[in-house]
Amino acid sequence: MQLWVGLGNPGAKYANNRHNIGFMALDRIAEDHGFAPWRGKFQGQVSEGRFGSTRVVLLKPETFMNLSGQSVRAAADFYKVEVSDITVFHDELDLAPGKCRLKQGGGHAGHNGLRSIHQHMSPDYARVRLGIGHPGHKDRVAGYVLNDFPKAEQEMLDDLLRGISDGAPALAAGDGSKFLNAVSLRVAPPRSSTGTKAPSKADTPAPQDAPQPAPQKKEATETRSPFDKLKDHFRK
């Protein structure tokens, strides 16, 4: 089995924050794939379901971000899940909004939720890094992540979450490339060709004949002899 953890903060106040995109991702997966209703457990909310033969437990810690590791530790101990079978969905400042990347192990890059999981588990879990962009200066980060996604990014956010849900079965099967491709097809679908087709012969109008000049009248050719002309002169 696998344990998928979405990071965020509990309560309506934080529900639409950039920092809560991990919660949003698990909510979409649970809804789209018919997982069991959420229930309180392990200092968080839990929902269970399957992708084929793989059992997946979804966990949204409600300890607030900085103590996420407590909830993850409790769930991992209960289900006897190895750290290598844990995947954490979290917001990523170093990725542009709408981008999604996979990572196995590594540092926490200052993310308080990841730092807490490091402390209670180890760094060896997998991560689904969900881009939210960077405010431009480290002093603005705290306020930035705790603000809601703006209206201009709602369509992008919806596409990203749908793509994650589309690719969830592949992620459970360990096919990271197929998972990322499913996300890409939602966020940046291929465009249909808009090239102009060359006109066929049937579509090409037949060339018009150039207008012919009107035939010119030929002047009568004088065939009379001078003697005949002289006779005509005296007849007048």
Side-chain angles (χ1 to χ4, degrees), residues 27-145:
D27 284 337
R28 180 57 62 86
I29 291 170
E31 179 181 352
D32 290 353
H33 296 280
F35 275 48
W38 293 96
R39 69 184 192 280
K41 202 171 184 180
F42 313 121
Q43 303 177 67
Q45 292 291 316
V46 173
S47 176
E48 297 183 33
R50 287 184 178 275
F51 294 110
S53 61
T54 304
R55 181 184 177 194
V56 176
V57 175
L58 307 180
L59 171 66
K60 297 187 296 183
E62 292 187 311
T63 53
F64 286 91
M65 187 69 77
N66 294 4
L67 301 175
S68 298
Q70 294 180 7
S71 177
V72 176
R73 176 86 260 180
D77 287 347
F78 180 86
Y79 292 110
K80 296 180 173 56
V81 176
E82 298 292 332
V83 68
S84 58
D85 291 321
I86 297 174
T87 300
V88 178
F89 296 71
H90 67 90
D91 55 304
E92 178 59 70
L93 288 165
D94 293 332
L95 289 177
K99 297 294 183 182
C100 177
R101 297 289 185 270
L102 295 178
K103 184 179 181 180
Q104 185 74 40
H108 54 67
H111 191 292
N112 289 332
L114 300 183
R115 179 187 280 115
S116 179
I117 298 173
H118 274 49
Q119 293 170 351
H120 287 85
M121 302 296 297
S122 83
D124 300 327
Y125 54 90
R127 304 97 187 273
V128 178
R129 305 164 63 215
L130 306 174
I132 61 169
H134 198 286
H137 194 281
K138 64 180 181 179
D139 292 341
R140 297 172 55 198
V141 167
Y144 178 78
V145 299

